[in-house]
Each structure stands twice: as C-alpha cells, then as structure tokens.
Amino acid sequence: MGVFVNDYPDEAFIVRAALTSSFVALAIGGLMGIIQTLHRTGFYDSLISNADYYTVLTLHGVAMVLLFTIFFLVGFFQWAVTDSLGRSSEDIRITKLWYAMMVLGAGMSAVTILGGFVDAGSLSGVDADVLYTFYAPLEAHPLYYIGLATFIIGTWIAGFDWFRSWWAWKRENPDERTPLRTFMVLTTMLMWYLASLGVAISVVFFLIPWSLGIFESVNSLLTRTLFWFFGHPVVYFWLMPVYMMWYVILPKLAGGRLFSDPLARIVFVLFLVLSVPTGIHHQYVDPGIAEGFKFLAMTNTMFLLLPSFLTAFTVVASIEHGARQRGGKGYFSWLTALPWGRPAFTGMTLAGLMFAAAGFSGMINAGMSINYLVHNTLWVVGHFHMTVGTAVALSIMAATYWFLPIITGREIFSRRLGLAQVLMWFVGMVFMGNAMHRAGLAGVPRRTADPTYSQFDYTNTFGAVTELRFQIALGAVFLTTSLLLFFAPLVLSSFDIGERAAATPDSIPTPLSGPEHAPAVLDNIRLWTSVAIVLILLTYILPIASIVSDGGFLGSYGAIVVDQIAALLSPVLDTGGGVIG
C-alpha cells in the first residue's frame, strides 16, 4: 500500500478540502475566543461593545464546536473508510455533494452571525445572537436555521456515502470482519443519525416556521429539550473520532500495536447505545421536567464512564507495549522510551491526560444535587474547554502532524514548531481550565459580557477574582499563540521551502488481539442500534409527552390555537357522533 494521496487522489482532495474548512473555522473561532476573553476579563474591553460580545461568543461557539470539529471529522472519516476498506468511493459525485452542502450550510449560518455586527444597512435584521445553544426563546434569522439544517443534511449524506462503501465491500467479502476503523465510523454515524434527529425536528418543524413568522411562538422547553437531545451526544460525535486516533494512531507512534481490537469495538458499541439518552442532565434546573426523568438521565450519563475507563486501560496498555518494544524497562521508566519529541504523540497524550482530569469535573456536572452548585457558572465553561477544547481540539491538531503528509504527499515543515505548539496549548488550557473551575465554585456566571465584580463579593477559597481573571486571560494568550504556531507549519508546508522529503508509505499495524477474538455479535450494528432506540424511547417519550401536554407544541399561543380549532370542530364532531350513534 502506497501513500494515500497517490492511491486515492479524488478522496484525498475531499479530505484536504474538509481539513481546510475545519482550519478556517478554527482560525475564526480562535480569533473570536481571544477577543471575548479579553473583553470579559476587563483587560481590553474597548474593542467591542457588550452587545457585540454575544455575537462574538456565538461565532466562537459555532465555529469551534460545530464547524472546526465536524469538518475535520468528515475528512478523517473519509480517509478511515477508504483506507481501511481499500476501495474508492462508490460515486465521487456523492462525496463532493455532501461536502458542498456542508460548506453551503456553514456559509449561510456564518453570514447571519456576522450580520450581528451590522447596526444598519442591507444586513439590518440579519443576525443570530443565540449562542451555540440555539433554542427558543432566543430567535435567529431564518437563514441561520436553514444553514444549520443544510449542514446537518450534508453530514447525513456523508454517512450514507460511507455505508455504501461498506455495503459494497461486504458483498465482496461476506465472511470478513468489518475493519476496525470502518466499524468505528459506522457506529459513530449511527449514533449521529439518532442524536441529530432531535435538533433536526426542532429546527425544521419549530424554529424555521417561527422565525419566518408562520408561528407566533413555540414551546421553549420543548425546543430546549430537543436541542439537548442532540446537545450532549454531539460531544461524543466529536470524541469518537478522537478515540479512533487514540486507538489507531497513538499505539503506532509509540512503536507498538493496539492492545485489543475487541475492547475497541465494545467501547464504540457502548457509545452508540448510551450516548443519546443523557441530554436531560443539562436540564436539571428546568422546572417543567419531573425529577424522576432527570434521575434517569443522570444514571444513563454515569454509565458512560465505562467506555472511558475501558479506553484508558486499552490505550495505556497499547502505549506501554510500544515503549517496551522500543527498549523501555521497569514499572515507570518505560515512559522515557516513548517518542516525546514527536508532536503528534505528545499532543495526543497530553490531550488524553487532560480528558481524564475533565472527567472528574464532568461527574460533578452529571450529578443532580451537586450540579446545582455549579450550574450556569464558569465551572461548566472550564469543563467544556478541557473536553472539547483540549481532548478534541488538541488531539486534532496533534494528529494533523501525522495525518497531513498522508493526504498531501509532503512532510510537515517543522516538527519542532509542532512540539512547541502542542505544549503551549496544553499549558494555556491548564491556566484557563483551572481558573474557570475555581471561578465557577465562587459563583462567577457564564455567558455574561460584563460580570459585576465590584458590587458583589465572590467568595473564593484560593485567590481573588482579579487573579482568576488574569489566569483566564493568560491562558487565552497562550492558546492564541499556540494557534499561530499551528498555522505557521501548515502554511509553510504548502510551499517548497527547504529540504523536505516526500511522504513515505505508511500503514496501521494489526492489533495484538485481532477481530477474530471479538464475538461476532459486536458487529451486529442493527441489534445495537435497536437497543439504542429502545433506551431513547424509554428516556424521552414520557418527558416530551409531559412537556407537550403542559405547554403544547407551540407554547401558550399553540394552546390557544388548539382550543380554537377544537371549538370549531366541536359541532362537526358532535354531529358525527350522533350519526354514528
């Protein structure tokens, strides 16, 4: 097997295009991040107004957590399916279609967000200052919702494209086990189909008609519940490709092989089954949802610790095997034999370490009683930055140093810059994450342009609010500098500068325990999808029925409309009843 870009040039083009879109979003989101951080911490609050802060925050969230992550995901998954199945796309036109739809949808939504900076003129009224959590009662321009719907449909078509490749491969290899990377892609996309269905219903049937003026109002609690039906599983949509990196790329870089293919399959089956029925744990303070339903969501969420623990064991065992293959000895001294000079290895390892720390704060968020202490504070933002901002973002950037030569045919410009970049990102996030968690414990609110520090005493166990604000700002400066170091090698790698060799053929080594040791039932994705659907129905049917029963589909306005329709139909129903009787 040769270099991917030479073996599959059309697919490599799509992968490069998706990564380009991802990194453009990363640049925009990173710029918005430093602007809103310096404004909120008060170190440079004259650059934007308090009103524009929410536009900046919306653009930061959408660009970083939706566009950056998902564009990279589709590019990475295209490589994974093509390379592991050893076949080109069944129809490259379909591949180009889903990428074009995602770009179109992202563009439409971005235009409406940018319209929030315009006070008058042609874009007046075109805005989407609804933050990343785009549920009612905050209302955006219809184009924003239409763009999101188009983007999501693009991801659905991408999943269908990869399933077509697998079906064709399966017809030619009926007795073969599905390659691990393709299995990971398929289970991830099945989870995504289930999870994104909630937000698709919310956007298409409620938010778009409402923003167009067809409905006077919508049931805010219903749209919020449908959003979080998607809003927590989407975290695993970002994490599952990162888990693939940790399972597939990290052991190779360490000099060894994946410890267990069956354990990796079990982890992805668990994510498929358990990821979606968890979203209500974001709604612990919502009075319209009964406590019993919240307790059920908490229980489901705690079960998700299991695939994380299995991953920690499998990945660490794989890395240790690699280190010992490289000559590592002893209980802990084998760590010194690892390739810490490679930015891909160091970055992903540090991302995994940060994710372990974030897991502890995540258990606080998931617990019903203790969650009330940190709800809607900077604690939540700190947790989010340690998971998505480090475990996902740092892994993506680190993996790029290994992945880019495969899809371009040229080695990266400077691995030393890459090593400095991943270390600086980790240090920056340590400052920011630590300060945000401590500020949250002191009660400092999130999503606020200008928190009042002088007229309210935030009781903090360690340090003052000023020190916490400084740490957050310092962390943001480190992260922004890290982004510049990340983009520099990418840009320079596109030019023929210096003596850089062409990429050499590369392959993923076979696991120590291969798919032949995995029970065949693990590959029965119909079974596991059915189990996931049953759990979703058990978790969500009664809460949604209760929400609709209390407030209707369209809120108070919807209840009035329903009453009027019932009054109009009442004579007809009475007459019909008499005839039937």
Side-chain angles (χ1 to χ4, degrees), residues 21-33 63-64 68 483 487:
S21 300
S22 171
F23 296 149
V24 168
L26 175 62
I28 295 172
L31 177 61
M32 296 301 106
M64 295 294 271
F68 161 56
L483 279 182
F487 287 119

Side-chain angles (χ1 to χ4, degrees), residues 362-385:
M363 287 189 287
I364 302 299
N365 298 339
M368 280 183 65
S369 57
I370 200 167
N371 174 274
Y372 297 138
L373 299 176
V374 298
H375 178 77
N376 216 29
T377 69
L378 275 186
W379 172 285
V380 180
V381 184
H383 169 75
F384 201 61
H385 279 76

